[in-house]
Amino acid sequence: MLKMHNIRKSFRTDTIETHALRDFSLEVKEGEFVSVTGPSGSGKTTFLNIAGLLEPSTDGQYLLDGEDVSNLNDRQRSHLRNEKIGFIFQGFNLIPDLNLFDNIDVPLRYRGFNAKERRKRIEKVLEQVGLSARARHLPAQLSGGQQQRIAIARALAGEPRFLLADEPTGNLDSLMARQVMELLEFVNEWGTTIVMVTHDPDLARRAQRNIQIVDGQVCDLRPVTEQSDAVSA
Amino acid sequence: MIIYYISLALRSLRSTPILSALMVAAIAVGVGAAMTVLTLNYMMSRNALQHKDNVLYAVQLDSWDPNKANDTANEIPWQLTYQDAQALLRSDIPTRQVAMHRFGFTVEREDSHLRPFVASARVTSRDFFALFDVPFLYGGTWDSAADQAHTQVVVLPKATNDRVFAGENSMGKSITLNGEPFTVVGVIDHWNPAPKVYDLTNSPFADAESLFVPFGLHRQFEIDTWGNDSGWDSGSKSEGYEGFLQSESVWIQYWVELRDGEQKQQYETFLTAYIQGEKAQGRFQRPLKFALSRPSEWLRLNKVLRNDNRVLGWVSLAFLLVCVINGVALLLAKFLRKAPEAGVRRALGASRSALFIQHLIESAAIGVIGGIAGIVVALVGIRTSRHLAMGWIDTVASMDWLMMLAAIGLALFASLLAGFYPAWRISHTNPAIYLKTQ
Ligand SMILES: Nc1ncnc2c1ncn2[C@@H]1O[C@H](COP(=O)(O)OP(=O)(O)OP(=O)(O)O)[C@@H](O)[C@H]1O
Ligand SMILES: [Mg+2]
């Protein structure tokens, strides 16, 4: 599904050059649920952005679904992003002046579906996240957990093969975090590959596999059960 | 997709009302000012005789001072002397020809409550109406005898007929001009060419005259001119009104209609012969020179659209440019405020060009609204300049559909120009930096 080889990403500001990722190699198989942990500033978000084609890497090879995406232009990358990838963010990132229906509509518009198809899909995902009754509400009228469920619905509406979540429970209390986690697990059971960055060791442990990023590199590939000390450190 | 973008644009206008209103105001003021000037220029540079441009000619003869050229654009007086006009009228070469000038009468009507009033008049030979395509409501022009002998007939424009005869068919009725009875032989329909190509020596944008009377009335009423009258030869004048008619004063406008090149050549031969004949009599001491100018050339020669009007046009466009530059700053502020949303759209699959188009359409929406507001500004501006000009530009100070469309087009162009850089900026910012936290 996803295969990165010797990816490097550096940010240049006037004075310093930061190497957010170096010699970064990783493979994620179809249908996996992978959790990503690591200290703050280690490059987790940078990895997700590159994996999700939001940013190009400075160097290295990235195969998505077997296709080398390193040299695609913006239009092609945007198209792939729209079709194959769903994003979930810590801050939900719903568009504040669009109601829930129109928020979920956004990726479907760029996909070019007709009105009937869009409505069908929106109603389906709204039902999946249990918020059908709220379709015409604005994001601000929902709780944080509900907002995140809408964000997940928006990510799922285009039926992506690959879901990228950056601390999806970071802004939620433990009860709502568990609900969101259960939703993600449910989605994964239906075949969507998930990569989730989290700081929560309990959630990380619930994934099939955990990888740790330290200082821009994949540090350790031990099974989840053996690394609980490292995560909580 | 375009419809989606338009709905997003309208939503965005509502969500940032102050910035949007400022932006609309900037476009409206810029476009309004530009359209005020451009409309006046456009209307002033129209040619009401365009459809006869290849058959009508204004006639000029150089009868001027042997020692000094006349100071018109082509160094020939704009107008003819009375004696030359009478001589030219005797030619039967032109299909039609008109000798004429502006004058005025006191108007009264026997047995009516009409208060006497002073009206401008055109003293003209009978071909005037046919030559300039003046439409008749009732009757027609007088017969040719009236241009030779003194016959008291008159043609009334619709407005005068409405005023004196309450709009009824006044054919054969009597109207009193300067105390003498005149018979109405025709009433013309609304007709008000702008500019007044047929006589540019009097304000070219004033209304057409209120009465039309034959060219044969001069001696009876001792008619002189209510227009421009200039002379150079004060010495050789004999006494009295007859002296004025025989003088070298130029005050008659002269037009001919010539069907084709052959007829024009004949007429030129005739004019050459006429001037040579006059030279033999001691007149026309300057080198032999005359001119036949088409209506379009005549407008250009007379500089109806003055250079300062042109300059004003450019100044108003420069002002619009300043408004556009303001618009760039406003739009940049407006768009960058929504950068997080743009970041989300990128993450959800919008390409850079999709975002660029979305924001350009938002600018265009502002442009269309600004253009409509600009038309209102321009209408106020035109009305104001009309008041300031006190009747001198009444016939041109209005906006037609074409100019309204042009206003929208100009606003659209200005707003796209203003939106180009902000839209490019927003579509090229790195989405990742807006997605980290909220
Ligand atoms: N746009 C950028 N410009 C410059 N430096 C950046 C940029 N984005 C990230 N970095 C740097 O790259 C490194 C990795 O950042 P990243 O956001 O990937 O860390 P992270 O692991 O997600 O941290 P956290 O757990 O706090 O979210 C950091 O040192 C950060 O300062
Ligand atoms: Mg991060």
Side-chain angles (χ1 to χ4, degrees), chain A residues 79-104:
Chain A
H79 186 74
L80 275 184
R81 193 161 62 235
N82 180 256
E83 198 173 281
K84 294 197 169 163
I85 298 165
F87 276 102
I88 303 166
F89 306 96
Q90 179 177 6
F92 321 138
N93 281 323
L94 297 175
I95 297 173
D97 49 0
L98 297 186
N99 65 29
L100 307 185
F101 188 97
D102 290 338
N103 257 288
I104 300 172

PDB file of all heavy atoms in Angstrom, chain A residues 79-104:
ATOM      1  N   HIS A  79      -5.273  14.907  -7.369  1.00  0.00           N
ATOM      2  CA  HIS A  79      -6.241  13.902  -7.789  1.00  0.00           C
ATOM      3  C   HIS A  79      -6.099  12.623  -6.955  1.00  0.00           C
ATOM      4  O   HIS A  79      -7.083  12.075  -6.453  1.00  0.00           O
ATOM      5  CB  HIS A  79      -6.039  13.610  -9.275  1.00  0.00           C
ATOM      6  CG  HIS A  79      -7.069  12.692  -9.840  1.00  0.00           C
ATOM      7  ND1 HIS A  79      -8.354  13.091 -10.102  1.00  0.00           N
ATOM      8  CD2 HIS A  79      -7.009  11.369 -10.157  1.00  0.00           C
ATOM      9  CE1 HIS A  79      -9.047  12.070 -10.567  1.00  0.00           C
ATOM     10  NE2 HIS A  79      -8.241  11.005 -10.611  1.00  0.00           N
ATOM     11  N   LEU A  80      -4.855  12.167  -6.799  1.00  0.00           N
ATOM     12  CA  LEU A  80      -4.605  10.970  -5.985  1.00  0.00           C
ATOM     13  C   LEU A  80      -5.052  11.180  -4.546  1.00  0.00           C
ATOM     14  O   LEU A  80      -5.673  10.320  -3.925  1.00  0.00           O
ATOM     15  CB  LEU A  80      -3.098  10.642  -5.980  1.00  0.00           C
ATOM     16  CG  LEU A  80      -2.559   9.804  -7.126  1.00  0.00           C
ATOM     17  CD1 LEU A  80      -1.077   9.512  -6.893  1.00  0.00           C
ATOM     18  CD2 LEU A  80      -3.335   8.496  -7.213  1.00  0.00           C
ATOM     19  N   ARG A  81      -4.727  12.360  -4.018  1.00  0.00           N
ATOM     20  CA  ARG A  81      -5.080  12.698  -2.633  1.00  0.00           C
ATOM     21  C   ARG A  81      -6.597  12.621  -2.454  1.00  0.00           C
ATOM     22  O   ARG A  81      -7.112  12.087  -1.487  1.00  0.00           O
ATOM     23  CB  ARG A  81      -4.566  14.109  -2.331  1.00  0.00           C
ATOM     24  CG  ARG A  81      -4.579  14.489  -0.880  1.00  0.00           C
ATOM     25  CD  ARG A  81      -3.659  15.670  -0.632  1.00  0.00           C
ATOM     26  NE  ARG A  81      -4.093  16.852  -1.357  1.00  0.00           N
ATOM     27  CZ  ARG A  81      -3.342  17.541  -2.203  1.00  0.00           C
ATOM     28  NH1 ARG A  81      -2.098  17.182  -2.437  1.00  0.00           N
ATOM     29  NH2 ARG A  81      -3.823  18.591  -2.818  1.00  0.00           N
ATOM     30  N   ASN A  82      -7.295  13.159  -3.431  1.00  0.00           N
ATOM     31  CA  ASN A  82      -8.752  13.191  -3.373  1.00  0.00           C
ATOM     32  C   ASN A  82      -9.349  11.790  -3.436  1.00  0.00           C
ATOM     33  O   ASN A  82     -10.319  11.476  -2.759  1.00  0.00           O
ATOM     34  CB  ASN A  82      -9.272  14.047  -4.532  1.00  0.00           C
ATOM     35  CG  ASN A  82     -10.778  14.141  -4.545  1.00  0.00           C
ATOM     36  OD1 ASN A  82     -11.435  13.504  -5.344  1.00  0.00           O
ATOM     37  ND2 ASN A  82     -11.325  14.913  -3.630  1.00  0.00           N
ATOM     38  N   GLU A  83      -8.722  10.938  -4.248  1.00  0.00           N
ATOM     39  CA  GLU A  83      -9.336   9.653  -4.527  1.00  0.00           C
ATOM     40  C   GLU A  83      -8.931   8.580  -3.518  1.00  0.00           C
ATOM     41  O   GLU A  83      -9.745   7.765  -3.106  1.00  0.00           O
ATOM     42  CB  GLU A  83      -8.913   9.225  -5.938  1.00  0.00           C
ATOM     43  CG  GLU A  83      -9.790   8.167  -6.531  1.00  0.00           C
ATOM     44  CD  GLU A  83      -9.401   7.925  -7.975  1.00  0.00           C
ATOM     45  OE1 GLU A  83      -9.816   8.743  -8.823  1.00  0.00           O
ATOM     46  OE2 GLU A  83      -8.680   6.956  -8.255  1.00  0.00           O
ATOM     47  N   LYS A  84      -7.669   8.605  -3.099  1.00  0.00           N
ATOM     48  CA  LYS A  84      -7.166   7.471  -2.321  1.00  0.00           C
ATOM     49  C   LYS A  84      -6.949   7.762  -0.849  1.00  0.00           C
ATOM     50  O   LYS A  84      -6.785   6.837  -0.064  1.00  0.00           O
ATOM     51  CB  LYS A  84      -5.819   7.020  -2.919  1.00  0.00           C
ATOM     52  CG  LYS A  84      -5.964   6.462  -4.310  1.00  0.00           C
ATOM     53  CD  LYS A  84      -4.756   5.670  -4.726  1.00  0.00           C
ATOM     54  CE  LYS A  84      -5.069   4.909  -6.000  1.00  0.00           C
ATOM     55  NZ  LYS A  84      -3.840   4.446  -6.663  1.00  0.00           N
ATOM     56  N   ILE A  85      -6.882   9.063  -0.486  1.00  0.00           N
ATOM     57  CA  ILE A  85      -6.429   9.383   0.864  1.00  0.00           C
ATOM     58  C   ILE A  85      -7.476  10.185   1.622  1.00  0.00           C
ATOM     59  O   ILE A  85      -8.098  11.101   1.080  1.00  0.00           O
ATOM     60  CB  ILE A  85      -5.102  10.186   0.801  1.00  0.00           C
ATOM     61  CG1 ILE A  85      -4.028   9.311   0.146  1.00  0.00           C
ATOM     62  CG2 ILE A  85      -4.667  10.622   2.195  1.00  0.00           C
ATOM     63  CD1 ILE A  85      -2.825  10.067  -0.281  1.00  0.00           C
ATOM     64  N   GLY A  86      -7.672   9.817   2.887  1.00  0.00           N
ATOM     65  CA  GLY A  86      -8.505  10.627   3.762  1.00  0.00           C
ATOM     66  C   GLY A  86      -7.657  11.155   4.910  1.00  0.00           C
ATOM     67  O   GLY A  86      -6.809  10.436   5.436  1.00  0.00           O
ATOM     68  N   PHE A  87      -7.878  12.437   5.265  1.00  0.00           N
ATOM     69  CA  PHE A  87      -7.113  13.039   6.360  1.00  0.00           C
ATOM     70  C   PHE A  87      -8.003  13.272   7.574  1.00  0.00           C
ATOM     71  O   PHE A  87      -9.151  13.699   7.443  1.00  0.00           O
ATOM     72  CB  PHE A  87      -6.584  14.421   5.946  1.00  0.00           C
ATOM     73  CG  PHE A  87      -5.294  14.378   5.183  1.00  0.00           C
ATOM     74  CD1 PHE A  87      -5.281  14.532   3.807  1.00  0.00           C
ATOM     75  CD2 PHE A  87      -4.086  14.212   5.858  1.00  0.00           C
ATOM     76  CE1 PHE A  87      -4.097  14.508   3.106  1.00  0.00           C
ATOM     77  CE2 PHE A  87      -2.895  14.197   5.160  1.00  0.00           C
ATOM     78  CZ  PHE A  87      -2.902  14.340   3.775  1.00  0.00           C
ATOM     79  N   ILE A  88      -7.444  13.026   8.751  1.00  0.00           N
ATOM     80  CA  ILE A  88      -8.117  13.428   9.988  1.00  0.00           C
ATOM     81  C   ILE A  88      -7.091  14.173  10.832  1.00  0.00           C
ATOM     82  O   ILE A  88      -5.956  13.715  10.988  1.00  0.00           O
ATOM     83  CB  ILE A  88      -8.646  12.205  10.763  1.00  0.00           C
ATOM     84  CG1 ILE A  88      -9.586  11.389   9.868  1.00  0.00           C
ATOM     85  CG2 ILE A  88      -9.364  12.637  12.026  1.00  0.00           C
ATOM     86  CD1 ILE A  88      -9.875  10.026  10.431  1.00  0.00           C
ATOM     87  N   PHE A  89      -7.493  15.343  11.347  1.00  0.00           N
ATOM     88  CA  PHE A  89      -6.525  16.173  12.070  1.00  0.00           C
ATOM     89  C   PHE A  89      -6.903  16.301  13.536  1.00  0.00           C
ATOM     90  O   PHE A  89      -8.067  16.132  13.914  1.00  0.00           O
ATOM     91  CB  PHE A  89      -6.483  17.582  11.470  1.00  0.00           C
ATOM     92  CG  PHE A  89      -6.237  17.596   9.991  1.00  0.00           C
ATOM     93  CD1 PHE A  89      -7.294  17.685   9.103  1.00  0.00           C
ATOM     94  CD2 PHE A  89      -4.940  17.512   9.495  1.00  0.00           C
ATOM     95  CE1 PHE A  89      -7.075  17.704   7.742  1.00  0.00           C
ATOM     96  CE2 PHE A  89      -4.724  17.529   8.128  1.00  0.00           C
ATOM     97  CZ  PHE A  89      -5.796  17.623   7.246  1.00  0.00           C
ATOM     98  N   GLN A  90      -5.902  16.677  14.319  1.00  0.00           N
ATOM     99  CA  GLN A  90      -6.146  16.906  15.739  1.00  0.00           C
ATOM    100  C   GLN A  90      -7.198  18.009  15.946  1.00  0.00           C
ATOM    101  O   GLN A  90      -8.068  17.917  16.783  1.00  0.00           O
ATOM    102  CB  GLN A  90      -4.834  17.304  16.422  1.00  0.00           C
ATOM    103  CG  GLN A  90      -4.997  17.591  17.899  1.00  0.00           C
ATOM    104  CD  GLN A  90      -3.664  17.901  18.561  1.00  0.00           C
ATOM    105  OE1 GLN A  90      -2.637  18.007  17.886  1.00  0.00           O
ATOM    106  NE2 GLN A  90      -3.677  18.036  19.871  1.00  0.00           N
ATOM    107  N   GLY A  91      -7.075  19.066  15.124  1.00  0.00           N
ATOM    108  CA  GLY A  91      -7.984  20.221  15.282  1.00  0.00           C
ATOM    109  C   GLY A  91      -9.252  20.099  14.444  1.00  0.00           C
ATOM    110  O   GLY A  91      -9.910  21.096  14.179  1.00  0.00           O
ATOM    111  N   PHE A  92      -9.604  18.924  14.003  1.00  0.00           N
ATOM    112  CA  PHE A  92     -10.813  18.608  13.212  1.00  0.00           C
ATOM    113  C   PHE A  92     -10.791  19.272  11.833  1.00  0.00           C
ATOM    114  O   PHE A  92     -11.066  18.636  10.834  1.00  0.00           O
ATOM    115  CB  PHE A  92     -12.106  19.005  13.931  1.00  0.00           C
ATOM    116  CG  PHE A  92     -12.104  18.748  15.418  1.00  0.00           C
ATOM    117  CD1 PHE A  92     -12.636  19.670  16.307  1.00  0.00           C
ATOM    118  CD2 PHE A  92     -11.545  17.573  15.922  1.00  0.00           C
ATOM    119  CE1 PHE A  92     -12.628  19.410  17.668  1.00  0.00           C
ATOM    120  CE2 PHE A  92     -11.538  17.318  17.295  1.00  0.00           C
ATOM    121  CZ  PHE A  92     -12.074  18.247  18.169  1.00  0.00           C
ATOM    122  N   ASN A  93     -10.475  20.581  11.820  1.00  0.00           N
ATOM    123  CA  ASN A  93     -10.398  21.302  10.549  1.00  0.00           C
ATOM    124  C   ASN A  93     -11.647  21.202   9.701  1.00  0.00           C
ATOM    125  O   ASN A  93     -11.591  21.014   8.494  1.00  0.00           O
ATOM    126  CB  ASN A  93      -9.191  20.833   9.732  1.00  0.00           C
ATOM    127  CG  ASN A  93      -7.905  21.468  10.226  1.00  0.00           C
ATOM    128  OD1 ASN A  93      -7.910  22.626  10.623  1.00  0.00           O
ATOM    129  ND2 ASN A  93      -6.830  20.718  10.231  1.00  0.00           N
ATOM    130  N   LEU A  94     -12.796  21.363  10.351  1.00  0.00           N
ATOM    131  CA  LEU A  94     -14.018  21.541   9.564  1.00  0.00           C
ATOM    132  C   LEU A  94     -14.058  22.996   9.105  1.00  0.00           C
ATOM    133  O   LEU A  94     -13.493  23.880   9.752  1.00  0.00           O
ATOM    134  CB  LEU A  94     -15.244  21.216  10.420  1.00  0.00           C
ATOM    135  CG  LEU A  94     -15.308  19.759  10.905  1.00  0.00           C
ATOM    136  CD1 LEU A  94     -16.494  19.567  11.838  1.00  0.00           C
ATOM    137  CD2 LEU A  94     -15.385  18.794   9.739  1.00  0.00           C
ATOM    138  N   ILE A  95     -14.706  23.246   7.967  1.00  0.00           N
ATOM    139  CA  ILE A  95     -14.814  24.628   7.481  1.00  0.00           C
ATOM    140  C   ILE A  95     -15.962  25.298   8.229  1.00  0.00           C
ATOM    141  O   ILE A  95     -17.109  24.850   8.132  1.00  0.00           O
ATOM    142  CB  ILE A  95     -15.044  24.648   5.958  1.00  0.00           C
ATOM    143  CG1 ILE A  95     -13.831  24.026   5.261  1.00  0.00           C
ATOM    144  CG2 ILE A  95     -15.281  26.072   5.469  1.00  0.00           C
ATOM    145  CD1 ILE A  95     -13.988  23.836   3.774  1.00  0.00           C
ATOM    146  N   PRO A  96     -15.642  26.342   9.019  1.00  0.00           N
ATOM    147  CA  PRO A  96     -16.614  26.841  10.004  1.00  0.00           C
ATOM    148  C   PRO A  96     -17.913  27.373   9.414  1.00  0.00           C
ATOM    149  O   PRO A  96     -18.954  27.231  10.032  1.00  0.00           O
ATOM    150  CB  PRO A  96     -15.854  27.948  10.735  1.00  0.00           C
ATOM    151  CG  PRO A  96     -14.662  28.251   9.895  1.00  0.00           C
ATOM    152  CD  PRO A  96     -14.364  27.041   9.091  1.00  0.00           C
ATOM    153  N   ASP A  97     -17.883  27.992   8.207  1.00  0.00           N
ATOM    154  CA  ASP A  97     -19.155  28.552   7.733  1.00  0.00           C
ATOM    155  C   ASP A  97     -19.899  27.631   6.759  1.00  0.00           C
ATOM    156  O   ASP A  97     -20.843  28.062   6.110  1.00  0.00           O
ATOM    157  CB  ASP A  97     -18.984  29.977   7.170  1.00  0.00           C
ATOM    158  CG  ASP A  97     -17.838  30.059   6.190  1.00  0.00           C
ATOM    159  OD1 ASP A  97     -17.196  29.010   5.969  1.00  0.00           O
ATOM    160  OD2 ASP A  97     -17.584  31.146   5.649  1.00  0.00           O
ATOM    161  N   LEU A  98     -19.470  26.378   6.683  1.00  0.00           N
ATOM    162  CA  LEU A  98     -20.270  25.398   5.934  1.00  0.00           C
ATOM    163  C   LEU A  98     -20.943  24.466   6.933  1.00  0.00           C
ATOM    164  O   LEU A  98     -20.318  24.069   7.926  1.00  0.00           O
ATOM    165  CB  LEU A  98     -19.375  24.559   5.017  1.00  0.00           C
ATOM    166  CG  LEU A  98     -18.604  25.260   3.899  1.00  0.00           C
ATOM    167  CD1 LEU A  98     -17.901  24.221   3.027  1.00  0.00           C
ATOM    168  CD2 LEU A  98     -19.528  26.117   3.056  1.00  0.00           C
ATOM    169  N   ASN A  99     -22.200  24.095   6.678  1.00  0.00           N
ATOM    170  CA  ASN A  99     -22.837  23.135   7.582  1.00  0.00           C
ATOM    171  C   ASN A  99     -22.230  21.749   7.357  1.00  0.00           C
ATOM    172  O   ASN A  99     -21.400  21.556   6.471  1.00  0.00           O
ATOM    173  CB  ASN A  99     -24.359  23.159   7.414  1.00  0.00           C
ATOM    174  CG  ASN A  99     -24.799  22.683   6.038  1.00  0.00           C
ATOM    175  OD1 ASN A  99     -24.125  21.871   5.407  1.00  0.00           O
ATOM    176  ND2 ASN A  99     -25.923  23.191   5.569  1.00  0.00           N
ATOM    177  N   LEU A 100     -22.639  20.777   8.190  1.00  0.00           N
ATOM    178  CA  LEU A 100     -21.985  19.465   8.164  1.00  0.00           C
ATOM    179  C   LEU A 100     -22.128  18.805   6.799  1.00  0.00           C
ATOM    180  O   LEU A 100     -21.184  18.235   6.259  1.00  0.00           O
ATOM    181  CB  LEU A 100     -22.582  18.584   9.258  1.00  0.00           C
ATOM    182  CG  LEU A 100     -22.556  19.230  10.660  1.00  0.00           C
ATOM    183  CD1 LEU A 100     -23.054  18.238  11.688  1.00  0.00           C
ATOM    184  CD2 LEU A 100     -21.169  19.724  11.014  1.00  0.00           C
ATOM    185  N   PHE A 101     -23.319  18.922   6.239  1.00  0.00           N
ATOM    186  CA  PHE A 101     -23.572  18.347   4.920  1.00  0.00           C
ATOM    187  C   PHE A 101     -22.581  18.910   3.897  1.00  0.00           C
ATOM    188  O   PHE A 101     -21.925  18.166   3.167  1.00  0.00           O
ATOM    189  CB  PHE A 101     -25.017  18.671   4.513  1.00  0.00           C
ATOM    190  CG  PHE A 101     -25.463  17.979   3.259  1.00  0.00           C
ATOM    191  CD1 PHE A 101     -26.184  16.794   3.320  1.00  0.00           C
ATOM    192  CD2 PHE A 101     -25.177  18.517   2.010  1.00  0.00           C
ATOM    193  CE1 PHE A 101     -26.611  16.156   2.161  1.00  0.00           C
ATOM    194  CE2 PHE A 101     -25.590  17.877   0.854  1.00  0.00           C
ATOM    195  CZ  PHE A 101     -26.308  16.695   0.936  1.00  0.00           C
ATOM    196  N   ASP A 102     -22.457  20.245   3.880  1.00  0.00           N
ATOM    197  CA  ASP A 102     -21.575  20.880   2.893  1.00  0.00           C
ATOM    198  C   ASP A 102     -20.098  20.603   3.179  1.00  0.00           C
ATOM    199  O   ASP A 102     -19.281  20.572   2.260  1.00  0.00           O
ATOM    200  CB  ASP A 102     -21.823  22.390   2.861  1.00  0.00           C
ATOM    201  CG  ASP A 102     -23.176  22.720   2.245  1.00  0.00           C
ATOM    202  OD1 ASP A 102     -23.702  21.868   1.499  1.00  0.00           O
ATOM    203  OD2 ASP A 102     -23.707  23.816   2.515  1.00  0.00           O
ATOM    204  N   ASN A 103     -19.745  20.417   4.463  1.00  0.00           N
ATOM    205  CA  ASN A 103     -18.369  20.044   4.783  1.00  0.00           C
ATOM    206  C   ASN A 103     -18.015  18.696   4.177  1.00  0.00           C
ATOM    207  O   ASN A 103     -16.960  18.535   3.569  1.00  0.00           O
ATOM    208  CB  ASN A 103     -18.186  20.003   6.306  1.00  0.00           C
ATOM    209  CG  ASN A 103     -17.459  21.235   6.823  1.00  0.00           C
ATOM    210  OD1 ASN A 103     -16.267  21.385   6.623  1.00  0.00           O
ATOM    211  ND2 ASN A 103     -18.210  22.124   7.455  1.00  0.00           N
ATOM    212  N   ILE A 104     -18.913  17.742   4.345  1.00  0.00           N
ATOM    213  CA  ILE A 104     -18.638  16.398   3.816  1.00  0.00           C
ATOM    214  C   ILE A 104     -18.661  16.427   2.285  1.00  0.00           C
ATOM    215  O   ILE A 104     -17.993  15.650   1.616  1.00  0.00           O
ATOM    216  CB  ILE A 104     -19.678  15.395   4.374  1.00  0.00           C
ATOM    217  CG1 ILE A 104     -19.582  15.371   5.897  1.00  0.00           C
ATOM    218  CG2 ILE A 104     -19.470  14.014   3.801  1.00  0.00           C
ATOM    219  CD1 ILE A 104     -20.676  14.564   6.572  1.00  0.00           C
TER     220      ILE A 104
END
